[in-house]
PDB file of all heavy atoms in Angstrom:
ATOM      1  N   TYR A 108     148.775 137.784 -10.567  1.00  0.00           N
ATOM      2  CA  TYR A 108     149.300 137.114 -11.747  1.00  0.00           C
ATOM      3  C   TYR A 108     150.772 137.099 -11.687  1.00  0.00           C
ATOM      4  O   TYR A 108     151.421 137.996 -11.138  1.00  0.00           O
ATOM      5  CB  TYR A 108     148.836 137.903 -12.987  1.00  0.00           C
ATOM      6  CG  TYR A 108     149.391 137.339 -14.287  1.00  0.00           C
ATOM      7  CD1 TYR A 108     148.996 136.073 -14.748  1.00  0.00           C
ATOM      8  CD2 TYR A 108     150.325 138.028 -15.015  1.00  0.00           C
ATOM      9  CE1 TYR A 108     149.538 135.531 -15.877  1.00  0.00           C
ATOM     10  CE2 TYR A 108     150.854 137.515 -16.200  1.00  0.00           C
ATOM     11  CZ  TYR A 108     150.423 136.258 -16.625  1.00  0.00           C
ATOM     12  OH  TYR A 108     150.951 135.704 -17.778  1.00  0.00           O
ATOM     13  N   GLY A 109     151.347 136.005 -12.260  1.00  0.00           N
ATOM     14  CA  GLY A 109     152.797 135.902 -12.329  1.00  0.00           C
ATOM     15  C   GLY A 109     153.197 135.035 -13.524  1.00  0.00           C
ATOM     16  O   GLY A 109     152.526 134.093 -13.822  1.00  0.00           O
ATOM     17  N   SER A 110     154.323 135.387 -14.150  1.00  0.00           N
ATOM     18  CA  SER A 110     154.807 134.635 -15.317  1.00  0.00           C
ATOM     19  C   SER A 110     156.307 134.787 -15.456  1.00  0.00           C
ATOM     20  O   SER A 110     156.855 135.928 -15.276  1.00  0.00           O
ATOM     21  CB  SER A 110     154.112 135.173 -16.596  1.00  0.00           C
ATOM     22  OG  SER A 110     154.712 134.610 -17.721  1.00  0.00           O
ATOM     23  N   ASP A 111     156.942 133.697 -15.768  1.00  0.00           N
ATOM     24  CA  ASP A 111     158.391 133.742 -16.104  1.00  0.00           C
ATOM     25  C   ASP A 111     158.594 133.385 -17.593  1.00  0.00           C
ATOM     26  O   ASP A 111     159.506 132.701 -17.948  1.00  0.00           O
ATOM     27  CB  ASP A 111     159.188 132.802 -15.196  1.00  0.00           C
ATOM     28  CG  ASP A 111     158.673 131.356 -15.286  1.00  0.00           C
ATOM     29  OD1 ASP A 111     157.656 131.093 -15.913  1.00  0.00           O
ATOM     30  OD2 ASP A 111     159.368 130.441 -14.721  1.00  0.00           O
ATOM     31  N   LEU A 112     157.706 133.848 -18.431  1.00  0.00           N
ATOM     32  CA  LEU A 112     157.597 133.489 -19.801  1.00  0.00           C
ATOM     33  C   LEU A 112     158.941 133.688 -20.577  1.00  0.00           C
ATOM     34  O   LEU A 112     159.375 132.787 -21.285  1.00  0.00           O
ATOM     35  CB  LEU A 112     156.486 134.243 -20.512  1.00  0.00           C
ATOM     36  CG  LEU A 112     156.286 133.987 -21.990  1.00  0.00           C
ATOM     37  CD1 LEU A 112     155.844 132.559 -22.172  1.00  0.00           C
ATOM     38  CD2 LEU A 112     155.188 134.973 -22.547  1.00  0.00           C
ATOM     39  N   LEU A 113     159.567 134.829 -20.360  1.00  0.00           N
ATOM     40  CA  LEU A 113     160.805 135.115 -21.047  1.00  0.00           C
ATOM     41  C   LEU A 113     161.947 134.253 -20.534  1.00  0.00           C
ATOM     42  O   LEU A 113     162.716 133.656 -21.300  1.00  0.00           O
ATOM     43  CB  LEU A 113     161.185 136.580 -20.939  1.00  0.00           C
ATOM     44  CG  LEU A 113     162.456 137.014 -21.662  1.00  0.00           C
ATOM     45  CD1 LEU A 113     162.449 136.691 -23.104  1.00  0.00           C
ATOM     46  CD2 LEU A 113     162.711 138.508 -21.451  1.00  0.00           C
ATOM     47  N   SER A 114     162.078 134.166 -19.215  1.00  0.00           N
ATOM     48  CA  SER A 114     163.210 133.398 -18.604  1.00  0.00           C
ATOM     49  C   SER A 114     163.175 131.916 -18.937  1.00  0.00           C
ATOM     50  O   SER A 114     164.208 131.250 -19.047  1.00  0.00           O
ATOM     51  CB  SER A 114     163.223 133.649 -17.097  1.00  0.00           C
ATOM     52  OG  SER A 114     163.558 134.962 -16.823  1.00  0.00           O
ATOM     53  N   ARG A 115     161.954 131.356 -19.047  1.00  0.00           N
ATOM     54  CA  ARG A 115     161.877 129.923 -19.292  1.00  0.00           C
ATOM     55  C   ARG A 115     161.972 129.551 -20.758  1.00  0.00           C
ATOM     56  O   ARG A 115     162.148 128.355 -21.109  1.00  0.00           O
ATOM     57  CB  ARG A 115     160.629 129.374 -18.663  1.00  0.00           C
ATOM     58  CG  ARG A 115     159.354 129.614 -19.522  1.00  0.00           C
ATOM     59  CD  ARG A 115     158.218 128.720 -18.958  1.00  0.00           C
ATOM     60  NE  ARG A 115     156.962 128.908 -19.729  1.00  0.00           N
ATOM     61  CZ  ARG A 115     155.957 129.638 -19.320  1.00  0.00           C
ATOM     62  NH1 ARG A 115     155.988 130.279 -18.220  1.00  0.00           N
ATOM     63  NH2 ARG A 115     154.875 129.744 -20.128  1.00  0.00           N
ATOM     64  N   MET A 116     161.974 130.484 -21.638  1.00  0.00           N
ATOM     65  CA  MET A 116     162.007 130.212 -23.067  1.00  0.00           C
ATOM     66  C   MET A 116     163.354 129.529 -23.404  1.00  0.00           C
ATOM     67  O   MET A 116     164.457 130.062 -23.059  1.00  0.00           O
ATOM     68  CB  MET A 116     161.841 131.454 -23.887  1.00  0.00           C
ATOM     69  CG  MET A 116     160.451 132.021 -23.863  1.00  0.00           C
ATOM     70  SD  MET A 116     160.176 133.464 -24.961  1.00  0.00           S
ATOM     71  CE  MET A 116     160.274 132.665 -26.565  1.00  0.00           C
ATOM     72  N   GLY A 117     163.278 128.393 -24.040  1.00  0.00           N
ATOM     73  CA  GLY A 117     164.499 127.662 -24.465  1.00  0.00           C
ATOM     74  C   GLY A 117     165.166 126.871 -23.370  1.00  0.00           C
ATOM     75  O   GLY A 117     166.122 126.150 -23.641  1.00  0.00           O
ATOM     76  N   ARG A 118     164.604 126.984 -22.129  1.00  0.00           N
ATOM     77  CA  ARG A 118     165.223 126.249 -20.974  1.00  0.00           C
ATOM     78  C   ARG A 118     164.453 125.008 -20.643  1.00  0.00           C
ATOM     79  O   ARG A 118     165.061 123.992 -20.194  1.00  0.00           O
ATOM     80  CB  ARG A 118     165.321 127.141 -19.794  1.00  0.00           C
ATOM     81  CG  ARG A 118     166.268 128.323 -19.927  1.00  0.00           C
ATOM     82  CD  ARG A 118     166.579 128.953 -18.629  1.00  0.00           C
ATOM     83  NE  ARG A 118     165.389 129.067 -17.752  1.00  0.00           N
ATOM     84  CZ  ARG A 118     165.396 129.627 -16.564  1.00  0.00           C
ATOM     85  NH1 ARG A 118     166.559 130.192 -16.141  1.00  0.00           N
ATOM     86  NH2 ARG A 118     164.358 129.713 -15.789  1.00  0.00           N
ATOM     87  N   ARG A 119     163.172 125.034 -20.696  1.00  0.00           N
ATOM     88  CA  ARG A 119     162.338 123.878 -20.392  1.00  0.00           C
ATOM     89  C   ARG A 119     160.997 123.933 -21.152  1.00  0.00           C
ATOM     90  O   ARG A 119     160.564 124.992 -21.534  1.00  0.00           O
ATOM     91  CB  ARG A 119     162.111 123.848 -18.865  1.00  0.00           C
ATOM     92  CG  ARG A 119     161.306 124.964 -18.301  1.00  0.00           C
ATOM     93  CD  ARG A 119     161.251 124.756 -16.781  1.00  0.00           C
ATOM     94  NE  ARG A 119     160.337 125.753 -16.150  1.00  0.00           N
ATOM     95  CZ  ARG A 119     160.750 126.935 -15.711  1.00  0.00           C
ATOM     96  NH1 ARG A 119     162.007 127.277 -15.843  1.00  0.00           N
ATOM     97  NH2 ARG A 119     159.913 127.758 -15.112  1.00  0.00           N
TER      98      ARG A 119
END
Side-chain angles (χ1 to χ4, degrees):
Y108 175 67
S110 170
D111 58 352
L112 181 61
L113 179 56
S114 291
R115 77 168 182 257
M116 291 183 70
R118 296 195 317 186
R119 64 183 187 269

